[in-house]
Each structure stands twice: as C-alpha cells, then as structure tokens.
C-alpha cells in the first residue's frame, strides 16, 4: 500500500463519527509523534531551507509539520519537472507558462480527488467559489476543453468585486524634509525632480553617514522591462504593465515599451535625469532587494513610488519620534493605478503536487491560511501575541505586535526564537486580498492601515503635520481625494507563448532590460540617445514587432473582459 493511501486510511479511521473543522488539525491526532516535513516549492520565495521562528511553532503546534522552502533559482523548475516531483505544495509566480506545463504533464493534484477539498478544505470550498470556478475554467482553457480539474486557488481573493484594493503606488517621500522646504507645489515630474534635488541638499547623508540618494532601485524583479521604470509609468499615468509595454484600462490603448515619447521611455529618461544629478543610487543595477531595503531603513533613500520600499521600511519608531517620516506626496498630475477587487483572485496560484504522500495534510494547511485567523496570522503573527479583537470586534495590535509591525527585526520574546522577520512565512502564501473584509472583525479588512485602532489619532507630531497639511487622516483618504485609475479585476490570464515566441521574447526583453539600465546611467543626453537608439535597433532585429503584436492581442482580450465587469458594476 502506498504511503498516501495508508495515510488516507488512517484518516478515515480517525475521523469516523467526527467532523473536520478548518482550524483544528485532526491529522495530528492520528500521528502525534510523527513530524512530517513538507517541501514547498515557491516561485515567490526569497529563501530556501526549513521555516523557522514563530510561524514554524504554529505549524508544529497545529499540524505537527515542518515546511522546507525551495525557492525558484536557475534550473530548479526544470530539474523538479524532470524528476516528476514539484513538491508537496507549489506556489506559482503566474498562471501561465510553467504552471500550464505542469497542468499538461499531470504534475498537480486534483483537489476534488477523494473529496479532499470537501473534507480538508471546507473553508475554501464554502467561501471561495468564484476562485474555484476560475481555476477549473483555466484548466479547460489549458487542456482545450478536455478537463475542468481543480488544481489550485489564486491569491488576492476578494469578498466583493465592487471595491478596489488599497493604494500601494504611494509616492512616498521624506515628509519632514518637504516640510522644511516649505511644502513647495509639485505639479509634474520636472517639479518632482527639483524637489528631490533640494531634499538631498538638506539631507546629504543617512543615519550612518553614508551618501543619500533620491531613489534606490534593484533588478531582482525585472521581467519584460526594468520593473521600477515601468512601475513609475504606472504610478504616474495609471497604465498597467502588460507584455512588452503598458496598457491603459480606461481606453484600452496599448503603449509598447519602445514607443517614441511613450510612457516607458519617458520614465527611462526621468531616471537618467536623476542619475545626471547624482540622485540615483549607483548600485541600483547590481544590488539585491534586501540591500536596497537596508538603505531605506537607514535613511539613505529619500523617495519611493512604493509603500513597501518607502514608508513601511523607513517609519521606525526612532525615526518618527525624531520628527522624521516617509509619507505620500504625489505630483498633482499623477494618476496612480489602483486594482479592482476580484472574487476570482489574482494570477498567483497555490497548488498541491501530484506526487505528495500527504495531500490531506497539505489541503488542511492551505485551508487554515484561508480562514480569517490564518490570514491574519500570516500577515501579522500569532493571535493574542501580536494582534487580537476588542470587545466590539475591532482589530488592534498588541504592544508586541505594534513593535513588530514597525520593525520586523523585533525579538519575539520567550515563546518563539528569533525576530518577527525570522518567523515570517517564507513560502509566500497568498490567499485573501489584504483589502478583503475580515468576517471575524467588526466590518474591518485585513489591512492594518484601515483599522479603527490605527487611524483614530496621529501617533507623532510629524504625522499630525501631514494630516494638517493634506486634510486627510489616512493614505487611502489621501488618494481617494485625488486623481487615480481603477483597473477592474477580471479573470484575464495571459495566453501561453509557443516555443518560437518564447525564444524571441527572451532575446527582445533581455535587450530592453540591458539597454534600459545602460541608458539610465548615461552621463549625458547625447550618450543616452545613442544607447536608446541602439537598444531599439537591436530589439527590432530580434523580433520586437512580433512581441508587440502578441502583447496587443492580450491587451484587447483584457479590455474586453474589463468592459464586461464595468458594465455589470455600473448597473
């Protein structure tokens, strides 16, 4: 008898006369002394090895399980595919390409086999029906209608499709320096550039005496284009990345990356202008994300279009109590994108491997992280230790939780080894959208920025100054009062590229990325123009026009689906 079948038989015996409840692990009851190690292959993880810290303690306590995280380095996917074993749990970076190959090669577990979802994933089955349907429809699409098997659940699932997510293109900058400069009016990117010049003059060095820069980038997340360049176009124009260009949800217009005076090249020149004024971190092209974050935390970066590489990293207690703050201040002409909520979820998928010996255990773990307690624990740490609900059902941080949220290097105390950061779940599970409603609370969402306990009063004088000057009480309030673009949430999925297009795509996008980085660091306008023209010529020779044609086809399909959603919500 195979181990999987033996496990299921033991479970059947243990569960006779009882019901499985999502939060209680009956799996551990039938093998209390047996610690199971599950391999989690995650394309989103930045870590490899056994999960440690507080989340490891929770997993051991609830499931008697250890998670071995396998990150997606060079050749990892190919090797695991060849072995026919992707892992016990798989977390995909998108729902095409590698995911599609795994589906077609039978390497994923059918969640409905032996009623696994029904018995061990009851919360998912009851509360995520649209996400389930979407995955089954995706299987139909990938198998030309031959199957409608359920192979996983998407990330960022919403409880309602009528609202949008929180803004995270936040245009964070050092508000204390902006205040010292007298709150100058910033209409466009030219004004923004001058503001950054003036801010650097006010604060030329960081906490450790190192030189400050207006912005610090990292190449880790570059895909078809340089991520930070295209994201700045998204933050300014509200155009979303799609293929080898940017897509306007309002009109359906597609702007390819190398379009003359198009949004991508406009932003590339903006970063070159920053470099020519010594405002761009010279290590941006070679440093890791972690190295960049260290610089933000030490005050070496004065602005960021993202909250996670801006205010969330900088606003430690020692900074805010000293009157320093990174907070949003966007140019007047900017219309950042914000993504519509979608009950079908996003493009990341969590699956179970077909070769796992413990499909029920895997399902029960996934089910836990889809419950409100599991989602909160994933985001903020152990309940009762880091967060809880008051008598009215409002969510709040404990004293420890507040410290951990402000500084992830905070020690977790005697109950858990290491810091909060050490215990964060490295698998990168993503279930409910952070802006989805938490049914265990008093109408609040999973996003701590909007909890009543966190927006009632400003915690420092410098935060109060931001409120007084902007007339807003929260980040969401600030952006809601300005211009922004909502990209409707749909079931859109990029089509799978054939082998010929994959080869062309790789050559073209590598040229765009390499050429963009070189152009960014050009010392003169003439040198910049020479590099850009060379990049365009080479990309064209590799088949750029073919990539653009395919991208425009995807944009047209996405626009059709978005129009359908817009028509429904406007009724």
């Amino acid at each position: 008898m195979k181990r999987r079948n033996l496990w299921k038989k033991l479970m059947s015996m243990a569960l006779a006369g009882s019901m499985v409840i999502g939060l209680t692990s009956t799996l551990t009851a039938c093998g209390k002394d047996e610690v199971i190690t599950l391999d989690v292959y995650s394309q989103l993880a930045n870590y490899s090895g056994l999960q440690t810290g507080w989340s490891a303690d929770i997993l051991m306590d609830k499931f008697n399980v250890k998670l071995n995280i396998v990150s997606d380095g060079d050749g990892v996917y190919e090797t695991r595919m060849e072995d026919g074993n992707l892992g016990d749990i798989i977390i995909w970076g998108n729902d095409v390409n590698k995911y599609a190959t795994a589906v077609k090669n039978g390497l994923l577990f059918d969640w409905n086999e032996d009623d696994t979802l029904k018995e061990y994933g009851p919360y998912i089955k009851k509360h995520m029906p649209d996400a389930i349907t979407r995955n089954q429809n995706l299987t139909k699409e990938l198998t030309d209608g031959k199957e409608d098997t359920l192979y996983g659940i998407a990330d960022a699932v919403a409880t309602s499709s009528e609202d949008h997510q929180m803004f995270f293109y936040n245009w964070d900058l050092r508000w204390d320096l902006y205040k010292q400069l007298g709150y100058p009016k910033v209409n466009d990117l030219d004004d923004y550039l001058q503001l950054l010049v003036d801010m650097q003059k006010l604060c030329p060095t960081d906490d450790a005496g190192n030189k400050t820069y207006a912005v610090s980038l990292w190449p880790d997340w570059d895909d078809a284009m340089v991520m930070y360049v295209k994201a700045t176009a998204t933050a300014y124009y509200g155009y979303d990345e799609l293929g080898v260009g940017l897509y306007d949800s309002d009109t359906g217009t597609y702007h390819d990356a190398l379009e003359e005076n198009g949004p991508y090249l406009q932003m590339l020149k903006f970063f070159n202008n920053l470099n020519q004024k010594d405002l761009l971190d010279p290590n941006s092209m070679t440093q890791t994300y972690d190295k960049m974050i260290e610089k933000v935390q030490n005050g070496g970066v004065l602005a960021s279009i993202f909250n996670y590489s801006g205010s969330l990293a900088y606003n430690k207690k020692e900074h805010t109590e000293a009157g320093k703050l990174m907070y949003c201040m966007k140019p007047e002409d900017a219309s950042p994108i914000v993504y519509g909520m979608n009950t079908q979820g996003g493009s990341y998928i969590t699956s179970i491997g077909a070769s796992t010996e413990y499909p029920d255990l895997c399902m029960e773990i996934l089910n836990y992280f889809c419950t409100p307690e599991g989602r909160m624990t994933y985001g903020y740490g152990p309940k009762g230790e880091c967060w809880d609900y008051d008598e009215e059902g409002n969510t709040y941080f404990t004293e420890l939780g507040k410290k951990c949220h402000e500084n992830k290097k905070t020690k977790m105390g005697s109950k858990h080894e290491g810091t909060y950061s050490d215990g964060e779940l490295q698998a990168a599970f993503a279930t409910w959208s952070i802006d989805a409603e938490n049914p265990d609370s008093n109408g609040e969402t999973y996003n701590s920025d909007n909890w009543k306990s966190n927006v009632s009063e400003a915690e420092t004088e410098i935060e109060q100054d931001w409120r007084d000057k902007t007339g807003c009480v929260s980040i969401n309030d600030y952006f809601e009062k300005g211009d922004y673009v909502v990209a409707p949430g749909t079931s859109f999925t990029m089509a799978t590229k054939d082998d010929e297009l994959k080869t062309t795509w790789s050559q073209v996008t590598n040229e765009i990325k390499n050429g963009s980085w070189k152009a960014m660091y050009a010392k003169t306008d003439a040198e910049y123009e020479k590099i850009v023209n060379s990049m365009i010529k080479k990309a064209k020779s590799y088949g750029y026009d073919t990539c653009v044609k395919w991208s425009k086809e995807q944009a047209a399909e996405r626009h059709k689906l978005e129009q359908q959603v817009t028509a429904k919500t406007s009724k």
Side-chain angles (χ1 to χ4, degrees):
M1 181 182 290
K2 292 183 179 179
R3 180 88 181 253
R4 176 192 281 186
N5 293 333
L6 173 62
W7 183 260
K8 294 180 75 67
K9 188 171 182 179
L10 287 170
M11 278 306 306
S12 297
M13 294 167 61
L15 295 174
S18 65
M19 293 183 64
V20 178
I21 300 175
L23 294 180
T24 304
S25 177
T26 41
L27 288 173
T28 58
C30 65
K32 194 68 179 178
D33 297 328
E34 181 180 16
V35 176
I36 304 299
T37 299
L38 299 177
D39 286 336
V40 181
Y41 166 53
S42 176
Q43 296 184 341
L44 304 176
N46 294 315
Y47 169 92
S48 290
L50 286 176
Q51 176 66 53
T52 62
W54 57 264
S55 64
D57 295 339
I58 290 173
L59 288 163
M60 182 61 69
D61 180 59
K62 288 185 175 293
F63 305 105
N64 225 36
V65 73
K66 293 181 179 181
L67 297 185
N68 177 47
I69 315 300
V70 181
S71 61
D72 191 32
D74 290 340
V76 172
Y77 174 78
E78 289 75 16
T79 300
R80 300 186 79 85
M81 281 289 293
E82 189 174 327
D83 292 342
N85 182 1
L86 290 173
D88 297 290
I89 297 174
I90 306 106
I91 300 171
W92 302 94
N94 58 55
D95 54 9
V96 293
N97 300 329
K98 293 179 179 180
Y99 174 79
T101 302
V103 168
K104 293 174 182 178
N105 283 274
L107 294 182
L108 303 181
F109 176 75
D110 175 3
W111 285 22
N112 286 322
E113 182 180 316
D114 295 327
D115 284 334
T116 303
L117 177 65
K118 180 180 178 181
E119 291 188 29
Y120 305 104
Y123 199 88
I124 295 174
K125 184 171 179 61
K126 181 177 180 181
H127 296 279
M128 295 180 164
D130 290 350
I132 290 170
T133 299
R134 176 184 180 179
N135 188 266
Q136 291 177 305
N137 287 338
L138 178 58
T139 303
K140 280 184 185 178
E141 187 178 316
L142 295 174
T143 61
D144 297 322
K146 296 176 183 177
E147 300 176 19
D148 64 350
T149 314
L150 177 61
Y151 287 125
I153 204 81
D155 73 311
V157 178
T159 48
S160 169
S161 295
E162 295 182 3
D163 204 352
H164 62 71
Q165 300 174 11
M166 272 284 287
F167 295 87
F168 74 94
Y169 289 103
N170 278 14
W171 289 95
D172 283 340
L173 55 68
R174 281 284 297 279
W175 182 264
D176 54 300
L177 300 178
Y178 181 64
K179 176 185 177 183
Q180 289 181 50
L181 291 168
Y183 312 105
K185 192 168 183 61
V186 178
N187 291 311
D188 52 27
L189 287 176
D190 291 334
D191 293 342
Y192 193 69
L193 178 62
Q194 185 58 51
L195 173 63
L196 295 174
V197 169
D198 296 338
M199 287 172 63
Q200 189 190 49
K201 289 178 181 177
L202 270 184
C203 183
T205 57
D206 68 8
D207 300 347
N210 300 311
K211 180 177 173 59
T212 60
Y213 293 96
V215 294
S216 183
L217 318 186
W218 64 98
D220 307 29
W221 301 353
D222 291 352
D223 187 15
M225 301 165 278
V226 172
M227 184 281 293
Y228 210 103
V229 175
K230 66 89 184 170
T232 305
T234 301
Y236 194 78
Y237 293 110
Y239 303 157
D240 202 14
E241 174 189 16
L242 198 158
V244 288
L246 293 142
Y247 161 78
D248 182 352
S249 285
D250 280 349
T251 65
T253 304
Y254 187 78
H255 300 277
D256 64 271
L258 304 182
E259 175 187 315
E260 185 177 0
N261 296 319
Y264 182 79
L265 290 184
Q266 284 183 32
M267 291 306 161
L268 185 61
K269 187 64 181 86
F270 172 70
F271 282 99
N272 174 247
N273 292 340
L274 288 174
N275 181 66
Q276 290 191 44
K277 293 185 179 295
D278 200 23
L279 292 168
L280 174 65
D281 182 353
N283 295 318
S284 293
M285 186 166 58
T286 56
Q287 70 185 350
T288 63
Y289 172 82
D290 290 339
K291 189 65 178 176
M292 175 278 305
I293 281 292
E294 284 182 20
K295 294 177 180 179
V296 177
Q297 292 170 336
N298 291 330
V301 182
L302 305 177
S304 170
I305 59 169
F306 301 112
N307 58 1
Y308 56 82
S309 59
S311 56
L312 296 182
Y314 179 76
N315 292 345
K316 298 182 292 185
K317 191 173 182 179
E318 56 259 43
H319 285 148
T320 56
E321 288 188 346
K324 300 176 182 179
L325 183 78
M326 282 194 87
Y327 231 45
C328 36
M329 204 298 296
K330 77 173 184 68
E332 287 291 325
D333 289 351
S335 299
I337 202 169
V338 62
Y339 297 98
M341 303 283 275
N342 189 356
T343 56
Q344 299 177 79
S347 60
Y348 301 158
I349 296 179
T350 301
S351 300
I352 296 173
S355 59
T356 183
E357 297 179 21
Y358 310 104
D360 305 337
L361 176 58
C362 293
M363 182 62 70
E364 195 176 17
I365 291 170
L366 299 182
N367 187 73
Y368 169 70
F369 285 112
C370 288
T371 65
E373 181 182 320
R375 179 62 180 86
M376 285 289 297
T377 298
Y378 171 80
Y380 304 110
K383 182 181 181 181
E385 297 177 51
C386 290
W387 61 273
D388 217 322
Y389 305 108
D390 63 21
E391 293 181 356
E392 296 178 348
N394 297 311
T395 324
Y396 68 90
F397 283 125
T398 64
E399 184 177 347
L400 173 62
K402 197 167 191 178
K403 289 179 180 177
C404 291
H405 190 63
E406 292 172 350
N407 181 4
K408 293 186 175 183
K409 297 298 183 183
T410 300
K411 295 283 186 181
M412 286 296 287
S414 59
K415 288 188 176 182
H416 311 284
E417 289 187 2
T419 66
Y420 178 85
S421 178
D422 293 333
E424 284 189 290
L425 198 60
Q426 299 297 324
F429 287 119
T431 55
W432 292 106
S433 165
I434 192 172
D435 297 304
E437 182 179 345
N438 174 4
D440 282 1
S441 72
N442 184 19
E444 295 184 315
T445 69
Y446 295 112
N447 196 326
S448 63
D449 288 346
N450 292 326
W451 296 347
K452 182 180 178 181
S453 59
N454 290 337
V455 299
S456 54
E457 294 181 5
E459 295 187 357
T460 59
E461 289 185 10
I462 190 65
E463 183 184 343
Q464 186 60 53
D465 182 80
W466 179 86
R467 292 189 180 198
D468 292 341
K469 188 64 181 176
T470 61
C472 304
V473 296
S474 68
I475 294 169
N476 216 44
D477 186 27
Y478 173 81
F479 282 101
E480 288 284 1
K481 291 181 178 179
D483 293 330
Y484 60 91
V485 175
V486 178
T490 71
S491 60
F492 171 72
T493 299
M494 297 275 275
T496 302
K497 304 179 187 72
D498 61 32
D499 290 341
E500 183 178 353
L501 180 57
K502 285 179 182 177
T503 300
T504 301
W505 192 273
S506 177
Q507 293 175 318
V508 168
T509 56
N510 282 338
E511 178 57 37
I512 292 173
K513 288 180 285 188
N514 293 335
S516 294
W517 278 112
K518 291 177 184 176
M520 214 183 303
Y521 283 105
K523 296 179 180 178
T524 65
D525 288 348
E527 183 185 357
Y528 171 85
E529 291 297 334
K530 182 179 180 180
I531 294 171
V532 169
N533 289 335
S534 175
M535 171 178 66
I536 293 172
K537 184 177 180 180
K538 288 180 180 178
K540 292 269 190 181
S541 71
Y542 291 139
Y544 175 72
D545 291 341
T546 299
C547 297
V548 171
K549 180 177 181 293
W550 183 86
S551 299
K552 285 184 174 180
E553 291 170 352
Q554 305 307 303
E557 180 63 25
R558 173 172 168 177
H559 190 55
K560 182 174 68 175
L561 294 173
E562 288 181 343
Q563 286 180 309
Q564 292 173 1
V565 170
T566 302
K568 287 180 181 178
T569 55
S570 62
K571 289 181 180 179

